[in-house]
Structures are given as C-alpha cells and as structure tokens.
C-alpha cells in the first residue's frame, strides 16, 4: 500500500479501544547514504498541544481518515534527533535534482515493504517554476526515490507552498501548533508565505517567543501590515514585548486609524485591567433581536471571552461613542425567544460598566 505523506496531516489517531488520542502532524524518517529512507514513526499532537512520538511498529492500520495503533503510546514530549528528518516540515518544497534538472518536491510516498517496515519509495515533484504561495505551475511527476538527489543539501530559501497546501484546511490554532513544532528556518519560511490575515490569526495563537521571532524576521512594512490585521489587544500584547523604538517604528508604519486603538491600549500598564482590554467588543443597539445577537457572537473570528456578552448602546455602535445602556450576557440570550429585543434582556448589574472596552482574560 502506497501512502502520500502530506495527505496524512491532521488525520485523527485512535487507540486500540477506538478513542481518538490526537492528530497526525508529521512523519519521521532516517535519511541514508544508500537505499530508501526508513520510516521511524509519526509525530502525533495530543491535547493540550503536546507532541509525542508514535513508532511505526505500533501502527496497526492507516485508513481513509483514521490511523489506528496497538499497544501503549509514550506521552513524553517528542524531541527530534540529529539523525531524523521530518517529511512535511523539512522535505516538502525542497529543490532537488531529477534527470539532470531542478524540480520541487510536492510530496513523498511511503510503502510497507514487509510487516512494520515502511520506506520512502516515491517522490512527487513539480517540473517548472513553482507559483507563489499555493499556486502551482509546471508538470507533476511521480519518481522513484533513487531517481532524485539533493535531499542532503541545506537550502537557504526553501519556500513553503506545498507545506501550506498540506496544512491548508487547518484552523488557525492548529496551524499555529504545527508552525510551533517546525524547525526555526522552516517556521519563518512558512510565516512569510502566509497572507496577512492568516498570519495574524496564527500569531495570535502562538507563544510570545514565537511571535517575536517571526515578526522580527519580516520586513518592517510587512510586520506593520500583519499587526494591523491582528485584534488590537493581541497587537498590543506583542508590541509591549518589543523594544520601545521598534514598537514605535511599527506603529508609525500602520494606518493611523488602525494604530489608534493600539496606542490607546499601550497607555495602560501591562499588568492592569486596562492593559488586557480589547477595543472591539460586540456592540448592538437595543432594537436588535436576540437572534441577531447570537448571529454576531457565533462568528468564528470572535474569541469566546468577547462573545460571552453583547454591549448594548444607542447608535452609533462604535467605541467609545454611543450611549451605553447595559450588557446582555450569552447565557441570557440562549434562554429568551429569538424575537426578543436586546433592550429587554439587559443585566441590571451592568449599567455602570464601561462601554468602551472588554476585558479579554
């Protein structure tokens, strides 16, 4: 059975009892001077964002949409050895040689030569120049491993189109987790290939150290565009961790209307309530219905903490302008008929709360 590895990204992994324990993030192989590379196992992500190693000898079956293993899995955090290579993270998008010409690696296939002995046997390559990001140009060919050379060469600019294609369907949080697990060089290459909105969503899910590292590798104009695409409170958190001169330079490059709410939040000390507020709460007029409010808080780009309540103001419903009336909490919205007006479901204890911002955590 031949399996193309990029298609395994995100595949659920089940234990012998049929319970899902995580999802596949990569395949670990050992490159050799001669012969086909041996597959050592898979990198599985368990909750909460813990990457563990599943030996290939424990894999019972690989089916459409499911990987099933036998025995027990060691929950110790995965650490890549110097002799190991990650197929998705490090081999996709490499420029290698086949038949005397340069080609780009689109995917690699593994096959079970004998029980529990899996090898990399095929390489899917693209002849011709690859297009930007997820666009592909040229001819695709499936070659034997022996027909391709150059996997042992360190490449300065590897690109990321095919790695992104493998992760294209992932949510921002899952892509951030996948990005966090990549080697530093690949992490920066993938981040640079994402568009501003997607990168902003991913940065908001990454640890601060990764955020700073990625932002520092982008040119100043691109970094400012990504900051502008982030929510103001997340952009503020990130800028607070940068040297003041660098933070001010990025704010200057942002559009004034996008920089203004961030500058406002930066005036608060980081460890105060003001320092953890957002300037983008959900705000609706009192004439809006419960159904409309639920439709707003259901939007995927609104984090749960912000979606927990709806601020009700007189028009205009932009911070900090409209006259504040009160808060309608999410649980109350679930209990009232959809046609009920928000003006009738306000929490009486909320009439003195601030309408201009919402505490994020």
């Amino acid at each position: 059975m031949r399996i193309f590895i990029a298609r395994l990204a995100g595949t659920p992994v089940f234990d012998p009892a049929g319970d899902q324990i995580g999802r596949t993030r990569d395949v670990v192989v050992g490159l050799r001077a001669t012969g086909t590379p041996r597959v050592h196992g898979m990198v599985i992500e368990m909750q909460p964002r813990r990457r563990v190693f599943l030996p290939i000898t424990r894999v019972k079956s690989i089916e459409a949409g499911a990987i099933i293993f036998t025995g027990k899995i060691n929950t110790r955090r995965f650490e890549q050895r110097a002799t190991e290579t990650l197929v998705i993270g490090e081999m996709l998008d490499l420029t290698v040689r086949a038949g005397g010409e340069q080609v780009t690696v689109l995917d690699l296939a593994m096959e079970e030569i004998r029980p529990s002995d899996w090898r990399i046997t095929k390489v899917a390559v693209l002849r011709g120049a690859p297009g930007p990001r997820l666009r592909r140009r040229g001819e695709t060919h499936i070659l034997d491993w022996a027909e391709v050379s150059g996997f042992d060469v360190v490449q300065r600019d590897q690109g990321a189109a095919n790695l992104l294609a493998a992760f294209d369907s992932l949510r921002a949080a899952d892509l951030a987790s996948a990005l966090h697990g990549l080697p530093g060089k690949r992490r920066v290459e993938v981040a640079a290939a994402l568009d501003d909105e997607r990168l902003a969503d991913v940065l908001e899910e990454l640890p601060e150290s990764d955020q700073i590292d990625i932002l520092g590798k982008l040119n100043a104009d691109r970094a400012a565009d990504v900051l502008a695409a982030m929510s103001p409170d997340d952009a503020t958190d990130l800028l607070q961790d940068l040297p003041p001169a660098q933070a001010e330079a990025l704010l200057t490059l942002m559009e004034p209307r996008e920089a203004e709410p961030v500058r406002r939040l930066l005036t608060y000390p980081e460890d105060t309530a003001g320092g953890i507020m957002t300037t983008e709460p959900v705000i609706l007029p009192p004439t809006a219905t419960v159904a409309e409010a639920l439709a707003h808080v259901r939007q995927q780009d609104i984090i749960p903490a912000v979606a927990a309540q709806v601020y009700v103001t007189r028009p205009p419903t932009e911070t900090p302008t409209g006259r504040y009336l009160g808060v309608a909490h999410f649980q109350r919205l679930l209990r009232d008929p959809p046609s009920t007006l928000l003006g009738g479901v306000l929490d009486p204890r909320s009439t003195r709360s601030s309408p201009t911002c919402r505490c994020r955590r």
Side-chain angles (χ1 to χ4, degrees):
M1 179 173 60
R2 181 183 304 166
I3 298 172
F4 281 93
I5 292 172
R7 300 175 186 175
L8 293 177
T11 301
V13 179
F14 297 89
D15 65 14
D19 296 323
Q20 183 178 339
I21 60 99
R23 290 183 179 273
T24 308
R25 291 299 180 227
D26 218 319
V27 170
V28 183
V29 300
L31 298 182
R32 307 161 65 186
T34 59
T36 54
R38 184 188 299 274
V39 177
H40 293 176
M42 300 177 178
V43 180
I44 308 301
E45 183 172 305
M46 305 173 66
Q47 294 299 327
R49 294 191 179 183
R50 186 176 190 84
R51 290 178 166 235
V52 302
F53 179 70
L54 175 62
I56 197 67
T57 54
R58 299 277 180 85
V59 175
K60 179 180 180 181
S61 66
I62 302 176
E63 305 169 359
I67 293 174
I68 303 172
F69 70 93
T70 61
K72 297 181 179 180
I73 190 169
N74 189 335
T75 58
R76 184 176 61 188
R77 191 176 297 277
F78 168 71
E79 293 184 7
Q80 185 179 355
R81 297 172 180 171
T83 56
E84 295 175 336
T85 301
L86 300 176
V87 173
I88 297 176
E90 297 179 288
M91 299 179 75
L92 300 191
D93 300 296
L94 279 172
T95 299
V96 293
R97 298 194 66 81
E101 64 175 317
Q102 289 189 335
V103 295
T104 302
V105 177
L106 299 179
D107 203 350
L108 296 99
M110 63 183 192
E111 296 183 52
E112 192 173 25
I113 306 303
R114 43 186 179 270
S116 299
D117 183 9
W118 290 78
R119 304 292 180 96
I120 301 295
T121 57
K122 300 289 183 179
V123 184
V125 301
L126 181 71
R127 283 194 167 100
R133 295 194 176 125
L134 299 183
R135 295 178 56 194
R136 298 177 180 177
R137 298 178 298 181
E139 300 177 358
T140 301
H141 297 270
I142 307 297
L143 306 176
D144 290 334
W145 172 263
E147 297 180 78
V148 183
S149 62
F151 282 104
D152 57 341
V153 178
V154 177
Q155 296 179 16
R156 181 178 179 183
D157 185 9
Q158 188 171 334
N162 300 296
L163 188 150
L164 285 177
F167 291 144
D168 189 41
S169 62
L170 295 183
R171 297 177 300 128
D174 292 331
L175 180 54
S177 183
L179 205 62
H180 177 68
L182 293 177
K185 170 181 174 291
R186 291 297 281 149
R187 186 185 306 139
V188 173
E189 289 169 342
V190 173
L194 293 169
D195 61 46
D196 293 344
E197 294 288 341
R198 181 72 159 156
L199 180 54
D201 291 341
V202 170
L203 281 180
E204 291 174 358
E205 303 290 343
L206 283 170
E208 291 180 0
S209 58
D210 287 350
Q211 292 179 342
I212 294 171
D213 179 59
I214 290 172
L215 202 70
K217 298 296 196 309
L218 303 176
N219 66 57
D221 287 329
R222 175 83 199 284
D225 290 341
V226 172
L227 281 170
M230 296 175 69
S231 63
D233 52 331
D234 284 307
T236 301
D237 289 344
L238 180 48
L239 287 172
Q240 284 175 329
D241 293 321
L242 298 178
Q246 183 182 358
E248 179 57 34
L250 292 173
L251 281 168
T252 302
L253 289 172
M254 293 170 64
E255 293 290 334
R257 64 180 179 81
E258 295 169 335
E260 191 278 329
V262 178
R263 289 187 182 277
R264 192 194 321 163
L265 292 178
L266 283 170
T267 62
Y268 298 94
E270 186 175 2
D271 57 352
T272 65
I276 56 176
M277 293 187 296
T278 178
T279 58
E280 297 181 351
V282 178
I283 305 175
L284 291 172
T287 54
T289 64
V290 166
E292 291 174 299
L294 289 174
H296 275 79
V297 301
R298 195 179 292 124
Q299 296 179 48
Q300 291 187 354
D301 58 344
I302 297 179
I303 62 174
V306 172
Q309 58 279 301
V310 174
Y311 284 89
V312 181
T313 74
R314 299 287 184 193
T317 55
E318 295 290 337
T319 59
T321 52
R323 179 186 172 189
Y324 173 68
L325 299 178
V327 168
H329 292 286
F330 176 68
Q331 287 188 341
R332 176 65 187 272
L333 297 177
L334 293 176
R335 295 169 182 163
D336 282 90
S339 59
T340 305
L341 299 182
L342 292 184
V345 296
L346 300 181
D347 183 343
R349 298 168 299 179
S350 66
T351 56
R352 294 185 180 274
S353 300
S354 169
T356 59
C357 50
R358 164 63 189 153
C359 198
R360 181 168 61 90
R361 59 178 182 264

